[in-house]
Amino acid sequence: MIRVNENYLKLQSSYLFSEISGRIAAFREAHPAREIIKLGIGDVTCALPAACIAAFHHAVTEMGDERTFRGYGPEQGYEFLREKIAMHDYKEHGADITPDEIFISDGAKCDVGNIQELFAEDVVVAVPDPVYPVYVDTNVMAGRSGNWKDTGYKGLVYLESTEDNGYVPVIPDEKVDLIYLCFPNNPTGATISRDKLQEWVAYADKNKALIIYDAAYVAFIKDQTLPHSIFEIQGAKEVAIEIRSFSKTAGFTGTRCAYTVVPKACNAYTRSGTAVPLHKLWLRRQTTKFNGVSYPVQRAAEAVFSSEGKKQVKILIDYYMHNADLIKRRFSELGYLCAGGDNSPYIWIKANMASWDFFSLLLEKAGVVSTPGSGFGKCGEGYVRISAFNSHENVEKALYKISDVLS
Ligand code: PLP
């Protein structure tokens, strides 16, 4: 008898985005003439930078010529891309990461989901609340939680991110082994200071724990006093893995390219306490289960680091951050408490009512789609997330309508 992995049966149906789609469909049916502006999902809207497109085209042409054609590439990613990442994303920020510590992949979501395979089934997992759901669900699938009860899975430690702590979770009293941190944060848009990040690194070091640092939104950091990478923090290379993506940085959500940094100094431990380098395990995992990202996509990603690419990426980020600024300013003027938006494309708005009620108010009265904070966890109740990923015209129109409704 083939039995299922019953851990999958513990999963709560991912009802957030399907519920949002259902409500939009119902609204559309009831009001076919009304315009709907989507500031809900975290997908980019601008085209790829011209430098990426040129590199992409050139690489596709190479693939059409026997003399320059390439078959399977290295599972870890081409060195030309890993070298650029090590130089521009790390060395230039004072973090000593070498190209062979970088693993190219087809998405941060896959890496975030796959990395937990390296750890024992009984490690204690700590996740932020509100949370990017992939951290939670992949650990539930792997059997690291009990059943769902009320507002969370038994056995997981939820790190509350609230107005009181500036949406940066405090160090837990109990001992946890695997810690997920995400800054700039999805969904709150919060950032973490060097001092606070240092505290987490010290906790991980003291408890032989490991931090998975998700920096998918690093490109949106404007405040140069904030850390861009956990590896800017002393001692982090021994206790952290960092995951980044070209998705939000350069519009690669549909093109797919990301990377994970596993420093050679970073260990996990056997039951008897022997240190095992995680770099070796992740290399083994990737070479066994992954065959690399396509050559043209890696060339397109490499172009992000060219001087033209850097300028074009900055224009792209500035474009969205202009929206973030408008959204945050308008909601603040309307008297709402807002977090995020300064170094992140997300604005986290205190609704002063239940999340879904505010969602419905914005949809029905203004025709604007937001994301109810309650869909990201217990601490998200009473908030909505508004995304800056849209055109200036749509954001201005949405804010005009929202002002009308809320003032
Ligand atoms: N990590 C966070 C926090 C995200 O919000 C997202 C996407 O929305 C991802 C990772 C996934 O990125 P990718 O497109 O590289 O899979």
Side-chain angles (χ1 to χ4, degrees):
M1 179 173 69
I2 177 69
R3 289 183 45 221
V4 293
N5 175 354
E6 292 190 29
N7 295 315
Y8 274 66
L9 309 182
K10 295 177 195 162
L11 289 166
Q12 297 300 290
S13 57
S14 163
Y15 108 117
L16 178 64
F17 288 101
S18 56
E19 177 71 19
I20 291 173
S21 306
R23 292 197 188 205
I24 296 171
F27 178 79
R28 213 168 242 144
E29 203 174 306
H31 311 280
R34 291 271 303 274
E35 187 187 8
I36 295 173
I37 299 175
K38 292 186 179 171
L39 300 180
I41 51 167
D43 197 0
V44 294
T45 54
C46 296
L48 288 174
C52 298
I53 287 297
F56 214 164
H57 274 302
H58 186 260
V60 169
T61 305
E62 284 183 86
M63 294 299 267
D65 182 333
E66 227 169 69
R67 288 163 303 176
T68 48
F69 168 80
R70 302 196 188 211
Y72 288 124
E75 291 97 339
Q76 204 179 332
Y78 283 104
E79 205 162 329
F80 62 75
L81 179 55
R82 290 186 285 112
E83 273 172 0
K84 300 282 187 329
I85 292 169
M87 172 62 68
H88 297 282
D89 282 349
Y90 292 99
K91 288 219 167 65
E92 284 176 9
H93 289 274
D96 182 23
I97 293 295
T98 57
D100 60 352
E101 293 176 309
I102 296 165
F103 295 77
I104 309 298
S105 79
D106 58 356
K109 188 178 194 176
C110 318
D111 288 352
V112 163
N114 293 330
I115 198 85
Q116 51 74 31
E117 278 182 29
L118 304 190
F119 309 107
E121 193 183 308
D122 57 355
V123 298
V124 178
V125 179
V127 293
D129 178 6
V131 65
Y132 175 58
V134 183
Y135 314 148
V136 175
D137 289 0
T138 53
N139 278 292
V140 173
M141 290 169 178
R144 292 196 190 89
S145 79
N147 286 323
W148 177 267
K149 183 157 188 297
D150 302 330
T151 56
Y153 292 97
K154 282 195 274 183
L156 295 188
V157 174
Y158 289 90
L159 305 168
E160 297 195 347
S161 311
T162 61
E163 195 184 326
D164 288 343
N165 58 31
Y167 308 99
V168 176
V170 294
I171 306 284
D173 295 331
E174 66 240 89
K175 195 176 164 320
V176 298
D177 305 307
L178 183 59
I179 302 152
Y180 289 82
L181 295 178
C182 173
F183 292 104
N185 189 263
N186 178 14
T188 67
T191 51
I192 190 166
S193 68
R194 252 168 232 283
D195 289 351
K196 282 269 180 297
L197 197 49
Q198 184 76 66
E199 284 175 25
W200 276 103
V201 168
Y203 173 89
D205 180 45
K206 184 164 160 233
N207 293 285
K208 291 195 164 154
L210 184 92
I211 299 169
I212 307 287
Y213 194 74
D214 184 341
Y217 296 93
V218 62
F220 296 87
I221 294 179
K222 286 197 288 189
D223 178 349
Q224 294 309 316
T225 66
L226 295 169
H228 286 67
S229 164
I230 194 167
F231 300 124
E232 291 170 36
I233 305 298
Q234 184 131 25
K237 283 211 302 186
E238 282 75 25
V239 297
I241 286 172
E242 181 164 290
I243 298 175
R244 290 197 188 185
S245 173
F246 292 92
S247 281
K248 310 299 159 80
T249 302
F252 274 57
T253 53
T255 307
R256 312 305 301 145
C257 198
Y259 64 87
T260 286
V261 180
V262 186
K264 291 195 169 155
C266 186
N267 294 319
Y269 301 86
T270 63
R271 195 172 290 282
S272 59
T274 307
V276 179
L278 288 171
H279 183 275
K280 224 168 126 182
L281 297 194
W282 188 242
L283 183 63
R284 187 72 169 90
R285 192 266 171 212
Q286 291 299 79
T287 50
T288 301
K289 295 195 181 184
F290 186 57
N291 250 340
V293 176
S294 84
Y295 172 69
V297 167
Q298 292 192 60
R299 281 294 186 198
E302 182 194 22
V304 163
F305 302 104
S306 65
S307 58
E308 278 310 300
K310 279 184 177 179
K311 277 186 230 154
Q312 290 160 8
V313 162
K314 184 173 182 316
I315 290 169
L316 208 59
I317 299 291
D318 287 349
Y319 186 87
Y320 294 128
M321 291 308 280
H322 174 78
N323 286 342
D325 192 43
L326 288 184
I327 295 165
K328 187 167 188 177
R329 222 156 357 113
R330 186 62 58 86
F331 272 92
S332 302
E333 282 161 11
L334 291 165
Y336 288 86
L337 194 77
C338 301
D342 299 324
N343 296 283
S344 139
Y346 297 127
I347 298 93
W348 189 240
I349 295 164
K350 190 173 183 181
N352 304 321
M353 63 178 83
S355 297
W356 277 109
D357 290 346
F358 198 65
F359 168 89
S360 296
L361 179 71
L362 294 184
L363 177 62
E364 281 157 28
K365 300 278 192 261
V368 174
V369 179
S370 59
T371 308
S374 53
F376 297 102
K378 172 171 71 76
C379 293
E381 178 53 282
Y383 291 82
V384 296
R385 186 192 75 178
I386 303 260
S387 150
F389 294 124
N390 212 316
S391 66
H392 289 169
E393 298 71 34
N394 278 345
V395 166
E396 277 165 25
K397 212 186 300 174
L399 291 175
Y400 182 76
K401 293 179 177 180
I402 287 170
S403 303
D404 226 23
V405 173
L406 299 180
S407 51

